[in-house]
Amino acid sequence: MSGEQNVWCGIGTGFGLLVCLLLGASCSEKVADVDVPQAPQDAPNSSEVVEAANGLSSKEIVSDPIEESIVDPRGARLLALESKLQSTLPRTWKGELDRFFRNLSAKDRRDLLNDLAVSLASQSAASARTLVLALTDTAERQTFATKVGLQILEKDTVAAREWVEGFEDTVLRHGTAGSLARSWSRRDAKGVVDWFESISDEKLQEPVLDGLIWGWAQADRTEAYEWVQKLENRTVQDAALLKLTKMVALKDPESAAAWVLAFPESAARMDGLRFALHRWSGKALTDAMQWVSELEDPSLFREGTLTIARIWTMEEPRAVTKWAGDLPETMRDDAFKVVADEWGKTEPEAVIGWAKGLEDEALKNGLLRRVAFAWKQRDGDGFTAWRENLNDPALKAFLGD
């Protein structure tokens, strides 16, 4: 057997054969025929040198590995893979992983990577980082990096921050940062605040802030809001306010909508209102409509009314047209445009039929052109076929240009 095969199927003759059977490795030669030369007792063997370079430590086997593997095949796979990594150089790990995973099911592969992440997090962060980069699947790489980070976080928050910030790949760094901040902030928001405030890279601050608010809103949303109010950077504050509003609205949209009223004038204020009303309308449309009708701020009243119109149109477009017809003229026209846009996505012919009956010529013509243009852009062939078969010469000519 070659030296590489000997390492792959090693860790004891019986266990090596079993690993070959479990993982499909090639062990065609008879292990008993291998004559392994003995190294001097005072000289480290090649495996020990590689293990030292990799930062990994061998695990002492104190029980029968064959019996252990029968009871725990998952543990046997982990032991075999760790042995392989310990005895090979990091530059070869990508190929070794591909060969090792070749005959494993998707579930076994996920379980093995999960176990390996837990193991490496306690042994060598440097080796764990090398292994992350050896994984070719983007989602798998992100999952592994996050799992290692979460394990490190349990024991050393500073090391967890260093783990995140050590990745050069932006997507990997940001994805891991957001996941760690989510988990960490649910039990220690102040720790994540310290991390956030220590970051000079504004792009990295974004996922950390997102994760911080996500977890903090569930632990103590009032405390989170008080902190957000003190942020001096308006852009950062807007992002935090919007995230916080969305988190509250998921469970309590009525409170989130009322909360928005206290926000400073900003895009976050309007976006937060839209999100809260969207959630609220899905649960209690009548209550949401009544609340909007009592808003004193003109800009909030307008945005709230159009949001209600948009959401309601998805369910009962004809009912919305009747309701919108009783609104003040400027609001009516804008609400009708919302109806035309949303209703036109599914029933453009019905919208055109409704718009034809409007008495306001300017409004009618504007809506007809609006619906026809959107329909033509979305489904040019369908629109053309409908127009060609239209029995209304005037409308056909009007929509033909």
Side-chain angles (χ1 to χ4, degrees), residues 90-310:
R91 66 171 179 269
T92 69
W93 284 1
K94 178 181 179 299
E96 300 294 354
L97 288 171
D98 289 342
R99 284 189 287 272
F100 200 92
F101 289 142
R102 188 173 298 156
N103 295 321
L104 295 183
S105 67
K107 180 182 183 305
D108 286 342
R109 179 184 179 112
R110 288 193 301 271
D111 289 344
L112 181 55
L113 283 174
N114 183 73
D115 294 342
L116 185 60
V118 173
S119 178
L120 286 182
S122 64
Q123 292 188 63
S124 170
S127 295
R129 193 181 304 282
T130 301
L131 197 140
V132 168
L133 302 179
L135 294 169
T136 55
D137 183 86
T138 302
E140 202 168 61
R141 177 185 294 186
Q142 182 63 78
T143 300
F144 189 87
T146 298
K147 182 65 178 179
V148 173
L150 290 172
Q151 290 297 124
I152 296 174
L153 181 64
E154 293 297 321
K155 297 181 179 180
D156 189 341
T157 56
V158 174
R161 288 162 52 171
E162 292 173 350
W163 167 256
V164 170
E165 296 172 15
F167 287 112
E168 295 182 4
D169 183 285
T170 302
V171 174
L172 192 59
R173 183 168 65 250
H174 289 184
T176 309
S179 295
L180 259 63
R182 282 188 177 203
S183 178
W184 188 359
S185 61
R186 297 184 71 171
R187 61 180 185 272
D188 179 21
K190 297 298 177 61
V192 186
V193 168
D194 290 342
W195 182 22
F196 172 81
E197 293 177 346
S198 73
I199 298 173
S200 58
D201 180 355
E202 292 184 359
K203 291 298 182 181
L204 180 58
Q205 277 189 330
E206 293 177 11
V208 173
L209 178 65
D210 189 84
L212 167 62
I213 298 301
W214 188 92
W216 206 353
Q218 298 178 70
D220 190 335
R221 69 189 191 190
T222 301
E223 188 178 61
Y225 181 56
E226 291 174 353
W227 176 77
V228 170
Q229 285 183 305
K230 298 175 184 178
L231 290 172
E232 296 180 359
N233 186 312
R234 186 60 179 274
T235 301
V236 174
Q237 185 185 58
D238 282 353
L241 284 173
L242 180 57
K243 181 67 177 181
L244 194 52
T245 302
K246 288 183 175 181
M247 290 302 302
V248 173
L250 291 175
K251 293 184 177 180
D252 187 0
E254 184 175 358
S255 294
W259 200 1
V260 167
L261 302 183
F263 287 6
E265 292 284 347
S266 64
R269 191 186 196 199
M270 291 302 180
D271 289 341
L273 178 67
R274 293 189 197 101
F275 189 88
L277 286 176
H278 183 85
R279 298 287 302 184
W280 192 1
S281 298
K283 298 173 63 176
L285 177 62
T286 302
D287 291 343
M289 290 175 64
Q290 181 63 35
W291 182 83
V292 168
S293 69
E294 297 172 358
L295 289 173
E296 297 180 358
D297 185 301
S299 61
L300 291 178
F301 172 73
R302 179 182 183 282
E303 196 59 45
T305 300
L306 297 181
T307 299
I308 292 292
R310 184 173 296 107

Side-chain angles (χ1 to χ4, degrees), residues 30-46:
K30 295 180 180 179
V31 176
D33 292 340
V34 177
D35 182 15
V36 181
Q38 299 297 314
Q41 293 183 355
D42 58 348
N45 61 41
S46 58

Side-chain angles (χ1 to χ4, degrees), residues 291-359:
W291 182 83
V292 168
S293 69
E294 297 172 358
L295 289 173
E296 297 180 358
D297 185 301
S299 61
L300 291 178
F301 172 73
R302 179 182 183 282
E303 196 59 45
T305 300
L306 297 181
T307 299
I308 292 292
R310 184 173 296 107
I311 296 166
W312 192 9
T313 298
M314 297 177 187
E315 299 295 331
E316 300 179 287
R318 295 188 184 279
V320 182
T321 61
K322 295 178 181 179
W323 166 74
D326 295 330
L327 293 171
E329 185 174 330
T330 54
M331 284 297 304
R332 178 204 66 183
D333 292 358
D334 287 342
F336 278 170
K337 291 175 184 177
V338 169
V339 173
D341 291 344
E342 294 300 325
W343 192 8
K345 293 176 182 177
T346 56
E347 298 182 287
E349 293 183 53
V351 183
I352 290 173
W354 160 72
K356 284 172 56 179
L358 295 174
E359 295 181 359

